[in-house]
């Protein structure tokens, strides 16, 4: 698909295949793969909070009864977002005879996984100048471009990811063409050329990581739209380590459990596995190609239809009437649509079965937005990251240089996530040496927007300051030697920097800490415990103050305090806090 994007840019005309992601795969999908629209019903809305074991057990029992009534012998599948999936698994482990894994399959919603992956993508891209390219290219407004970092609109963020992939691909091909024009063959293949440059150029390495991540999210969507079970699971397994890196602990904890369940599905429920392989893990709601959607996304559509004309909530006074409306409205809508399509006159124009993004209008719109982004680079308002051969990591829009700690953190992000994921699976699922609820340590992930604190950069900044001062003094001394009548005492009378180093650090005023004043006060005791505290037999502690003094950690507070007190002290309180 990216190859056709470059051909569109070069030849500036619409060719035989669309360049939008959904349009491209829609054209390649055969007609026989289009399923008939599914028959979808809606259960009454749960009256209590859904994210509890009691409500989830009730829902699982009701779904099992309904499935047995409609299709006897079929294994039911229940779908929920991550909090609901966690409660469902706890129910299956606590009540194996009622709702165990051999009776019902618990399934995590793919729409909510995509939403969480877009939040991780926003953390990876925030501060890099990515969102500013859309604003400068007049693709989105300032507020809309900022919202892409949080994934507040799934469809728009997905579209922005596809634009980004095309944008980066064209810039990479332009840089590669310059490399071939500037040298005499034989030339390296583009993959080898990119691999070699990414080792020495952090900017290229960063955008290569971004490209791999965005391609994984697109493959995850493609697997759902086309009903490819293996592609979806592979993309989900590639996304899982990033949840560890960016601190999405709920998805980092429960996605490995879901992947383990899906891996054992051929042995536990071979019929469900066969159905999933045939694409039954997604739903066809329309007659368009490449339009299959996740089960939780289909549920969101059903709730949206239920809420039309105020829905059942607030319109009917009795609970029984609300239940009747909630159960029947989706079926009424389906029957009405079938009646209109069968009895009414045929429409004046033929309705296309291609995906909406496969139309020529959408192709021109996508191509125009892509050209607008490329013009930002051509006008010098942004850099081509694949032409940055230096050892610095720079932002896309302003060329601002980032700290070495950020370079190190971003380079290690993918490998660190895979290491944490493999360790989690080994310790908590395969060998079960740790409980599943054990704490998942957070990664100190430094990015463009989450820069390291000043104390970590202090050493690097001081070395940079020393080098700058040495170069400045050398230049000034050479200029002094060139003027025999200059006074050397007058030369050393002035500061080398605009801000005095005793008061400023890298142009910022040194604030210090209040504890630094203690050394200036007369009569202050020596550091450590005083002589009276060392000789005391009873120590009275204000626990409300002590708890706020101790950093949050897993250690018990009383053993921690015992290490600070001598053996002569008698412990009275025996309660762990």
């Amino acid at each position: 698909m990216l190859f056709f994007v470059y051909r569109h840019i070069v030849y500036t005309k619409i060719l035989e295949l669309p360049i939008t992601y959904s349009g491209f795969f829609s054209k390649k999908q055969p007609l026989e793969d289009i399923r008939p629209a599914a028959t979808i019903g809606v259960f009454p809305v749960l009256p209590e909070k859904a994210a509890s074991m009691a409500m989830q057990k009730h829902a699982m029992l009701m779904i099992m009864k309904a499935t047995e009534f409609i299709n006897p012998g079929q294994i039911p599948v229940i779908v929920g977002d991550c909090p609901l999936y966690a409660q469902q698994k706890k129910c299956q482990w606590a009540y194996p005879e009622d709702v165990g894994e051999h009776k019902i399959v618990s399934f995590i919603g793919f729409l909510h996984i995509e939403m969480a992956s877009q939040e991780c993508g926003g953390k990876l891209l925030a501060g890099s100048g990515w969102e500013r390219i859309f604003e400068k290219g007049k693709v989105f407004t300032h507020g809309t471009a900022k919202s892409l970092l949080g994934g507040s609109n799934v469809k728009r963020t997905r579209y922005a990811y596809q634009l980004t992939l095309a944008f980066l691909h064209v810039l990479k091909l332009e840089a590669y063409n310059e490399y071939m024009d500037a040298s005499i063959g034989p030339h390296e293949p583009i993959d080898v050329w990119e691999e070699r440059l990414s080792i020495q150029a952090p900017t290229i390495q960063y955008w290569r990581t971004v490209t791999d991540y965005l391609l994984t999210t697109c493959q995850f969507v493609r697997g759902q739209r086309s009903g490819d079970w293996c592609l979806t699971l592979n993309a989900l397994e590639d996304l899982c380590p990033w949840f560890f890196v960016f601190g999405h602990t709920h998805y980092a904890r429960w996605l490995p459990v879901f992947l383990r369940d899906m891996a054992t599905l051929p042995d536990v429920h071979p019929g469900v596995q066969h159905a999933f392989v045939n694409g039954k893990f997604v739903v066809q709601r329309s007659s368009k190609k490449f339009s299959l959607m996740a089960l939780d996304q289909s549920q969101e559509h059903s709730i949206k239809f239920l809420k039309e004309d105020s829905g059942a909530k607030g319109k009917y006074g009795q609970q029984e009437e609300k239940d009747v409306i909630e159960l029947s409205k989706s079926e009424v809508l389906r029957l009405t649509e079938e009646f209109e399509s069968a009895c009414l006159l045929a429409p004046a124009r033929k309705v296309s079965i291609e995906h909406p993004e496969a139309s020529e209008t959408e192709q021109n719109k996508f191509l125009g937005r892509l050209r607008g982004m490329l013009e930002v680079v051509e006008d010098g308002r942004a850099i081509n990251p694949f032409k940055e051969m230096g050892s610095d990591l720079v932002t896309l829009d302003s060329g601002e240089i980032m700290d070495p700690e950020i370079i190190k953190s971003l380079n290690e992000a993918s490998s660190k996530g895979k290491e944490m994921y493999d360790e989690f699976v080994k310790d908590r699922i395969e060998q079960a040496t740790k409980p599943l609820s054990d704490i998942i340590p957070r990664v100190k992930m430094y990015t463009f927007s989450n820069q390291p604190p000043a104390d970590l950069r202090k050493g690097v900044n001081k070395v940079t300051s020393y080098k700058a001062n040495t170069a400045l003094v050398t230049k000034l001394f050479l200029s002094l030697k060139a003027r025999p009548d200059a006074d050397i005492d007058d030369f050393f009378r002035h500061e080398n920097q605009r801000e005095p180093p005793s008061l400023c650090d890298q142009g910022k005023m040194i604030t210090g800490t209040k504890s630094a004043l203690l050394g200036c006060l007369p009569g202050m005791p020596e550091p450590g415990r005083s002589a009276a505290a060392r000789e005391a037999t009873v120590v009275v502690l204000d626990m409300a103050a002590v708890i706020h003094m101790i950093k949050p950690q897993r250690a018990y507070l009383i053993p921690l305090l015992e290490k600070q007190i001598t053996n002569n002290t008698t412990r009275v309180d025996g309660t762990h806090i």
Side-chain angles (χ1 to χ4, degrees):
M1 191 270 289
L2 295 178
F3 170 72
F4 285 95
V5 170
Y6 186 70
R7 291 182 63 188
H8 278 283
I9 294 295
V10 173
Y11 298 108
T12 64
K13 63 179 181 179
I14 302 297
L15 299 180
E16 63 277 6
L17 284 176
I19 59 174
T20 56
Y21 193 82
S22 298
F24 179 83
F25 289 106
S26 172
K27 286 289 186 180
K28 295 177 70 68
Q29 183 178 3
L31 292 176
E32 55 268 17
D33 289 349
I34 303 178
R35 307 180 194 168
T39 302
I40 299 172
V42 180
F43 277 114
V45 179
L46 297 177
E48 304 294 338
K49 181 181 178 181
S52 64
M53 287 185 62
M55 292 306 299
Q56 286 305 306
K57 182 182 178 183
H58 170 72
M60 295 168 81
L61 291 174
M62 292 299 101
I63 290 174
M64 290 170 62
K65 291 181 179 179
T67 305
E68 183 66 23
F69 176 79
I70 296 174
N71 192 4
Q74 178 180 335
I75 300 297
V77 179
I78 182 171
V79 183
D81 57 5
C82 192
L84 298 186
Y85 176 79
Q87 298 299 330
Q88 293 165 12
K89 294 306 298 182
K90 292 177 182 178
C91 286
Q92 288 187 316
W93 298 333
Y95 308 100
E97 298 299 327
D98 298 330
V99 291
E101 295 179 349
H102 63 287
K103 290 191 172 183
I104 185 172
V105 176
S106 185
F107 200 89
I108 193 167
F110 287 162
L111 172 65
H112 292 81
I113 294 177
E114 185 183 2
M115 294 168 63
S117 69
Q118 289 182 356
E119 293 180 11
C120 291
K123 293 179 180 179
L124 179 64
L125 289 163
S128 64
W130 171 71
E131 72 279 7
R132 291 277 296 163
I133 298 298
F134 294 105
E135 182 182 353
K136 292 182 177 181
K138 299 181 180 180
V139 178
F140 301 119
T141 62
H142 175 75
T144 303
K146 284 290 185 181
S147 68
L148 298 175
L149 298 174
S152 57
N153 189 302
V154 178
K155 184 177 179 180
R156 184 187 297 130
T157 306
R158 187 191 304 147
Y159 186 81
Y161 284 177
Q162 295 164 10
L163 270 174
T164 304
L165 287 171
F167 172 71
L168 294 175
H169 182 71
V170 173
L171 293 182
K172 181 172 68 174
L173 289 179
E174 289 180 356
Y176 181 70
N177 290 336
E178 287 188 7
Y179 152 74
M180 291 193 298
D181 294 339
S183 60
I184 302 175
H187 300 108
E188 299 173 324
I190 188 170
D191 295 336
V192 178
W193 169 81
E194 184 183 8
E195 176 73 25
R196 175 176 59 84
L197 291 182
S198 62
I199 298 175
Q200 61 189 23
T203 303
I204 298 178
Q205 175 62 35
Y206 168 74
W207 288 106
R208 188 181 183 191
T209 302
V210 169
T211 301
D212 292 341
Y213 183 82
L214 299 186
L215 281 174
T216 303
T217 59
C218 289
Q219 288 173 357
F220 182 62
V221 175
R222 177 190 169 193
Q224 299 172 59
R225 296 291 179 267
S226 59
D228 192 332
W229 176 241
C230 295
L231 179 62
T232 306
L233 285 187
N234 291 336
L236 184 58
E237 189 171 3
D238 292 337
L239 284 176
C240 196
W242 290 100
F243 294 123
F244 285 89
V245 172
F246 289 109
H248 283 257
T249 53
H250 291 298
Y251 284 93
R253 190 185 311 278
W254 291 103
L255 274 183
V257 177
F258 172 74
L259 291 173
R260 190 270 303 179
D261 288 348
M262 297 303 102
T264 59
L265 202 60
D267 300 327
V268 181
H269 298 296
V272 178
Q273 168 69 12
H274 180 72
F276 285 172
V277 171
N278 291 335
K280 300 290 182 65
F281 66 100
V282 284
V283 178
Q284 179 84 48
R285 294 188 68 107
S286 67
S287 58
K288 303 291 184 180
K289 298 169 64 175
F290 201 70
S291 297
L292 296 170
M293 64 174 61
L295 298 173
D296 54 335
Q297 186 176 358
S298 174
Q299 177 67 12
E300 295 292 340
H301 279 261
S302 299
I303 295 175
K304 175 185 175 182
F305 295 147
L306 185 63
K307 289 181 178 179
E308 290 181 354
D309 301 327
S310 300
K313 184 176 181 182
K315 196 172 180 179
Y316 301 92
Q318 301 297 325
Q319 181 64 37
E320 292 79 6
E321 296 179 1
K322 294 181 182 180
D323 294 343
V324 170
I325 295 300
E326 290 172 357
L327 285 169
S328 62
K329 188 167 184 179
S330 59
E331 188 68 12
V332 170
L333 291 174
R334 183 183 67 84
L335 292 175
T336 303
E337 184 179 354
E338 290 182 358
F339 175 79
E340 291 177 350
S341 61
C343 299
L344 297 183
L345 295 177
R349 59 184 181 86
K350 185 179 180 180
V351 179
S352 174
I353 62 173
E354 299 293 340
H355 193 276
E357 291 187 8
S359 65
E360 186 173 344
T361 302
E362 289 295 326
Q363 305 307 305
N364 290 326
K365 187 185 299 185
F366 185 91
L367 198 58
R369 290 172 173 174
L370 179 58
R371 288 199 185 103
M373 296 171 64
L374 293 173
E375 288 176 0
V376 176
V377 179
E378 294 174 1
D379 297 343
R381 292 177 289 165
I383 65 169
N384 185 339
F386 296 98
K387 295 181 182 179
E388 295 295 324
M389 310 296 182
S391 59
D392 295 321
L393 177 63
V394 298
T395 57
L396 192 62
D397 58 335
S398 61
E400 181 183 354
I401 299 177
M402 295 292 106
D403 293 326
E405 285 290 335
I406 298 178
I407 299 176
K408 179 182 178 182
S409 180
L410 290 173
N411 288 342
E412 297 175 352
S414 179
S415 59
K416 183 64 176 177
K418 292 178 181 178
E419 178 183 346
M420 294 181 65
Y421 170 70
D422 293 339
E423 182 180 356
F424 183 92
V425 172
K426 177 182 177 182
D427 294 342
R428 310 189 195 198
I429 296 180
E430 294 179 353
Q431 299 180 358
T433 56
K434 292 182 180 179
L436 187 66
S437 59
D438 201 9
I439 295 175
I440 298 178
R442 286 187 174 272
V443 181
K444 290 184 179 180
M445 183 68 183
Y446 298 127
T447 60
F448 288 90
S449 59
N450 182 31
Q451 299 189 10
D455 55 347
L456 290 181
R457 303 196 302 265
K458 190 178 297 181
V460 177
N461 291 340
K462 284 187 175 181
V463 173
T464 305
S465 179
Y466 295 156
K467 292 181 179 180
N469 288 336
T470 302
L472 179 60
V473 170
T474 301
K475 293 178 181 179
L476 292 176
F477 186 75
L478 291 176
S479 65
L480 179 66
K481 297 292 289 183
R483 293 180 293 151
D485 56 339
D487 186 4
I488 192 170
D489 294 331
D490 184 65
F491 172 78
F492 286 106
R493 186 176 299 166
H494 303 281
E495 292 281 353
N496 297 335
Q497 301 176 5
R498 183 179 61 180
E499 301 89 1
S502 58
L503 300 177
C504 299
D505 183 16
Q506 298 294 317
K508 297 181 179 180
M509 183 69 71
I510 299 176
T511 57
T513 58
K514 291 185 290 184
S515 60
L517 300 175
L518 297 177
C520 304
L521 300 178
M524 294 301 298
E526 296 293 330
R529 294 192 302 271
S530 63
R534 290 193 295 268
E535 297 174 0
T537 57
V538 176
V539 177
V540 180
L541 301 175
D542 184 359
M543 298 307 296
V546 171
I547 288 176
H548 288 285
M549 293 167 55
I550 304 299
K551 292 183 178 180
Q553 52 187 358
R554 296 177 59 190
Y556 287 111
L557 185 56
I558 293 299
L560 183 64
L561 295 176
E562 286 179 345
K563 296 180 181 179
Q564 307 295 330
I565 302 174
T566 59
N567 295 328
N568 298 328
T569 305
T570 302
R571 173 179 169 182
V572 178
D573 180 18
T575 305
H576 284 193
I577 297 179

